[in-house]
Amino acid sequence: PIGWGYEISQKENGLSSLSGPLANVVVAAVFFPLIGFEGFLGLVGNLGFIINLWLAGFNLLPLAGLDGQKVFVWSRLVWAVFTIPIWLLTVFQLFM
């Protein structure tokens, strides 16, 4: 429940909880093209990409207090569709 007598559904809570991790994925995508550059620009691109992927992946963990728990409670399928690729990309990035 939230203020003003309005209560949101599990679906609304799950969808709104996806917005934070998805924003991190969008920011990571903005940094991704910079990875190909040499020097400082490449470093900024790499750090911006991996940090935002880690933030998204961490926030999608199905633990109390994190957005992942709210999404997981609402829909395990939606949680898996978003979380697994983010985790795989995060781990893959470590070996690039």
Side-chain angles (χ1 to χ4, degrees):
I2 61 173
W4 303 301
Y6 181 74
E7 201 170 306
I8 64 173
S9 68
Q10 277 189 341
K11 181 179 181 179
E12 290 170 324
N13 196 17
L15 287 172
S16 67
S17 295
L18 275 176
S19 65
L22 288 179
N24 287 117
V25 171
V26 168
V27 173
V30 169
F31 279 106
F32 182 73
L34 300 177
I35 292 174
F37 287 91
E38 297 282 331
F40 181 72
L41 202 53
L43 177 65
V44 168
N46 193 39
L47 287 174
F49 182 69
I50 196 67
I51 287 170
N52 278 284
L53 283 181
W54 273 105
L55 287 171
F58 178 79
N59 205 13
L60 283 169
L61 290 172
L63 302 173
L66 297 177
D67 289 330
Q69 186 260 346
K70 298 169 195 163
V71 177
F72 190 80
V73 165
W74 162 56
S75 172
R76 291 180 180 176
L77 176 63
V78 171
W79 176 84
V81 165
F82 282 95
T83 304
I84 293 171
I86 289 171
W87 287 349
L88 289 174
L89 188 57
T90 302
V91 170
F92 177 72
Q93 172 62 22
L94 291 175
F95 299 105
M96 286 178 61

